[in-house]
């Protein structure tokens, strides 16, 4: 019978035995391992009580029994047929050595898995090479476990869509309460990590697509500065706002993954300065990090959802108790203007950027946005049973990157969100970061009417918008639960301020310790 290890004391005993010259037999991986941190897993590997192959096998089994059957979270589109072979050969060096990780299905992997953005239009041959992110993960020693479901085309097909639904994979649901939404567009990445189907995952964001699903599935999500992480080989929306980032059950795990994927890539000119800023972000996990920090509360992004506001007040109290100075309220200038032209800019860039990406996939028939539109029309029964493609059509009608209207809107948005927005708010009160509530508890799935997101004043575009439009970093983490659903807060700040945001989030997390394993409730009681 294999050795069963379920308590930290057993690991300590195994390490002591090895130090004394003894040997320890590897045990079968169990549920505790599915929710273990990267540091704990690496310790178990080093002591010999757990192997990368054993952990990878556990996740594959959990995907089969929890994701595809049982509660049926529907978060994983496919598992990597080579995952176990990769795990067997996993080395001991690298920050992610032997750590199973899921990638959102808009991130190219040069293997036997497909990259489709959830669309049937790209089903067929895999991408010819790794994305910049996948290449860095492999270099860090990670086991790429599979691809996660998302909002099709990262929620850029229709403004009537339901987050987490794709023609290829159907609807991802929230593992905490199964009739609730996991938000989008990185719905599968969030739901899978929350359900213990991988140690960590990668999502991508244009505006809210890491921060919202992380918040609604009780995770830590980091949306990095645009240009810190390569976008090469990631199916795009917008070269001015897109970025990939980690989704994890702790700040430490998210920081570890960010350090592994950050850095310059000649395939993405936006990352030219990344090597100057990329670092080992675990250096900033300081237990005393909040002392002396100055944090401003953006009340413009609060006051709409009471559970989210309660989490905000809990966080403010905690910050003050740990020695932070809280300036409340602070105002971001021009906030209401940011939503005026954001979508138009994204539509211009999507038309251009999707064609540039499709050119990197010569073995599939789709070459332009017009081809994708025609495919959806032909396959309407499978691709458009719930919502249409009005955003595709609007993007197709836009001009090119030299259109003066586009250039003016893009430059204005960046200026108002960054130098005259976030930067001005930080400078006025000498702040280290800004704070706002995240989205409220996850909303009920509704394929007929689409999403019912509640997040701040609807005229300012939501809590993710300022940092997203500026291209600045943001981080969300859970603070508490409301009606069995996680609720958290978002910190955001200046360009390249990931170290500060990680340090602040870590300080909050140490006191809230808010992640809890989901119960897979079918629905919430009405009494």
């Amino acid at each position: 019978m294999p050795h069963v290890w379920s308590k930290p004391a057993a690991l300590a005993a195994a390490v002591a035995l090895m130090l004394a010259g003894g040997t320890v037999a590897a045990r079968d991986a169990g549920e505790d391992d599915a929710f273990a941190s990267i540091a704990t897993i690496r310790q178990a590997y080093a002591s010999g009580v757990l192997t990368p192959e054993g952990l990878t096998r556990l996740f594959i089994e959990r995907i089969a029994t929890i994701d595809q059957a049982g509660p049926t979270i529907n978060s994983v589109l496919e598992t990597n047929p080579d995952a176990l072979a990769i795990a067997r050969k996993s080395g001991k060096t690298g920050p992610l050595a032997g750590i199973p990780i899921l990638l959102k299905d808009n991130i190219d992997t040069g293997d036997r898995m497909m990259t489709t953005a959830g669309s049937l239009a790209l089903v067929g041959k895999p991408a010819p090479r790794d994305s910049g992110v996948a290449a860095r993960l492999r270099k860090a020693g990670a086991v790429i476990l599979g691809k996660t479901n998302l909002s099709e085309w990262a929620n850029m097909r229709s403004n009537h869509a339901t987050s987490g639904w794709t023609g290829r994979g159907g609807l991802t649901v929230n593992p905490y309460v199964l009739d609730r939404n996991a938000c989008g567009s990185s719905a599968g990445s969030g739901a899978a990590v929350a359900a213990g189907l991988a140690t960590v995952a990668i999502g991508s964001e244009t505006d809210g697509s890491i921060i919202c699903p992380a918040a609604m599935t009780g995770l830590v999500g980091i949306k990095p500065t645009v240009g810190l992480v390569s976008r090469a080989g990631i199916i795009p929306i917008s070269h001015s706002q897109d970025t990939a980032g980690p989704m994890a059950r702790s700040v430490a795990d998210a920081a570890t993954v960010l350090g592994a994927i950050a850095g310059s890539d000649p395939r993405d000119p936006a990352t030219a300065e990344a090597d100057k800023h990329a670092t080992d972000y675990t250096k900033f996990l300081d237990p005393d990090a909040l002392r002396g920090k100055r944090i401003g509360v953006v009340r413009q992004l609060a006051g709409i959802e009471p559970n989210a506001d309660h989490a905000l007040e809990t966080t403010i109290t905690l910050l003050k108790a740990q020695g932070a100075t809280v300036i409340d309220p602070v105002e971001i200038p021009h906030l209401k203007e940011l939503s005026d032209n954001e979508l138009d800019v994204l539509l211009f860039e999507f038309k251009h950027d999707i064609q540039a990406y499709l050119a990197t996939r010569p073995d599939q028939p789709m070459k332009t946005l017009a081809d994708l539109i025609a495919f959806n029309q032909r396959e309407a029964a499978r691709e458009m049973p719930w919502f249409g493609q009005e955003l595709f059509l609007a993007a197709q009608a836009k001009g090119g990157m030299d259109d003066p209207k586009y250039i003016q809107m893009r430059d204005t948005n960046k200026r108002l969100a960054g130098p005259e927005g976030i930067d001005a708010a930080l400078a006025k009160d000498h702040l280290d970061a800004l704070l706002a509530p995240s989205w409220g508890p996850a909303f009920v799935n509704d394929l007929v009417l689409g999403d019912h997101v509640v997040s701040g004043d609807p005229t300012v575009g939501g809590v993710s918008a300022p940092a997203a439009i500026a291209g600045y970093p943001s981080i969300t983490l859970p603070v508490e639960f409301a009606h069995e659903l996680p609720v958290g807060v978002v910190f955001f700040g200046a360009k390249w301020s990931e170290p500060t945001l990680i340090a602040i989030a870590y300080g909050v997390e140490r006191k809230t310790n808010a992640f809890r394993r989901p119960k897979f409730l079918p629905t919430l009681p009405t009494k």
Side-chain angles (χ1 to χ4, degrees), residues 5 27-36 41 50 55 58-59:
W5 172 75
R27 58 174 171 76
D28 288 347
E31 182 177 354
D32 285 349
D33 300 301
F35 290 94
I41 293 167
L50 183 66
L55 184 59
L58 170 69
F59 284 132

Side-chain angles (χ1 to χ4, degrees), residues 301-323:
L301 296 169
I304 299 297
E305 207 293 311
N307 298 288
D309 286 345
H310 188 275
L312 176 65
E313 299 306 325
T314 298
T315 304
I316 291 170
T317 300
L318 187 155
L319 291 169
K320 292 178 179 178
Q322 293 197 80

Side-chain angles (χ1 to χ4, degrees), residues 4-350:
V4 177
W5 172 75
S6 61
K7 296 181 180 180
L11 176 57
V15 173
L17 180 60
M18 291 196 69
L19 291 174
T23 58
V24 178
R27 58 174 171 76
D28 288 347
E31 182 177 354
D32 285 349
D33 300 301
F35 290 94
S37 68
I38 292 173
T40 298
I41 293 167
R42 295 296 301 276
Q43 278 188 300
Y45 288 167
S47 69
V49 300
L50 183 66
T51 66
E53 181 182 0
L55 184 59
T56 301
R57 191 180 302 279
L58 170 69
F59 284 132
I60 291 172
E61 291 171 354
R62 286 178 66 84
I63 289 168
T65 58
I66 294 174
D67 195 64
Q68 305 302 309
T72 316
I73 308 303
N74 206 34
S75 64
V76 180
L77 285 173
E78 62 179 314
T79 54
N80 186 351
D82 301 314
L84 288 173
I86 294 169
R88 290 186 198 107
K89 298 176 182 178
S90 180
K92 296 183 178 180
T93 60
L96 298 175
I99 301 299
I101 185 167
L102 288 165
L103 274 60
K104 185 176 179 178
D105 183 43
N106 61 350
I107 301 173
D108 286 352
T109 51
D111 51 25
R112 292 193 282 169
M113 292 189 292
M114 291 183 286
T115 306
T116 68
S119 172
L120 298 172
L122 296 186
V123 169
K125 292 187 177 181
R129 64 182 293 190
D130 273 345
S131 60
V133 165
R136 283 188 174 269
L137 290 171
R138 294 190 203 275
K139 185 178 179 180
V143 177
I144 296 180
L145 182 63
K147 297 289 185 73
T148 59
N149 201 21
L150 65 157
S151 307
E152 187 171 303
W153 296 108
N155 245 348
M156 195 57 181
R157 206 190 82 190
S158 170
N159 53 26
H160 188 64
T162 297
S163 290
W165 185 92
T166 64
R168 181 184 176 197
L171 181 65
T172 295
V173 300
N174 195 306
Y176 288 96
V177 182
L178 301 178
D179 65 358
R180 299 275 167 160
N181 198 268
C183 204
S185 63
S186 304
S189 294
V193 174
L197 307 181
T199 304
V200 287
I202 301 294
S204 70
E205 174 161 331
T206 305
D207 186 343
S209 289
I210 291 172
I211 299 299
C212 186
M216 291 196 180
T217 58
L219 300 181
V220 175
I222 300 177
K223 197 285 289 189
T225 299
V226 171
L228 181 64
V229 175
S230 173
R231 290 88 53 85
I234 299 179
I235 298 175
I237 290 177
S238 158
H239 57 264
S240 66
Q241 292 187 203
D242 287 354
T243 183
M247 303 174 72
R249 292 183 293 266
S250 69
V251 175
D253 282 1
T256 300
V257 175
L258 181 61
I261 63 175
S264 300
D265 181 352
R267 295 169 62 197
D268 181 1
T271 63
E273 297 181 42
D275 281 348
K276 298 177 184 177
H277 301 278
T279 186
D280 174 6
Y281 293 97
T282 62
K283 296 185 299 184
F284 306 102
L285 304 177
D286 178 4
D288 199 37
L290 288 175
R291 189 165 304 280
K293 291 289 192 298
R294 294 177 59 83
I295 299 167
V297 180
V298 185
R299 291 284 171 183
Q300 296 157 288
L301 296 169
I304 299 297
E305 207 293 311
N307 298 288
D309 286 345
H310 188 275
L312 176 65
E313 299 306 325
T314 298
T315 304
I316 291 170
T317 300
L318 187 155
L319 291 169
K320 292 178 179 178
Q322 293 197 80
T325 298
V326 177
I327 311 301
D328 183 9
V330 300
E331 183 173 326
I332 299 178
H334 310 293
L335 195 58
K336 290 183 181 294
E337 299 170 53
L338 296 183
S339 60
D340 291 348
N341 297 314
E342 182 190 14
L343 180 57
D344 270 342
V345 171
L346 301 185
L347 293 171
F348 270 100
E349 294 186 353
F350 180 66

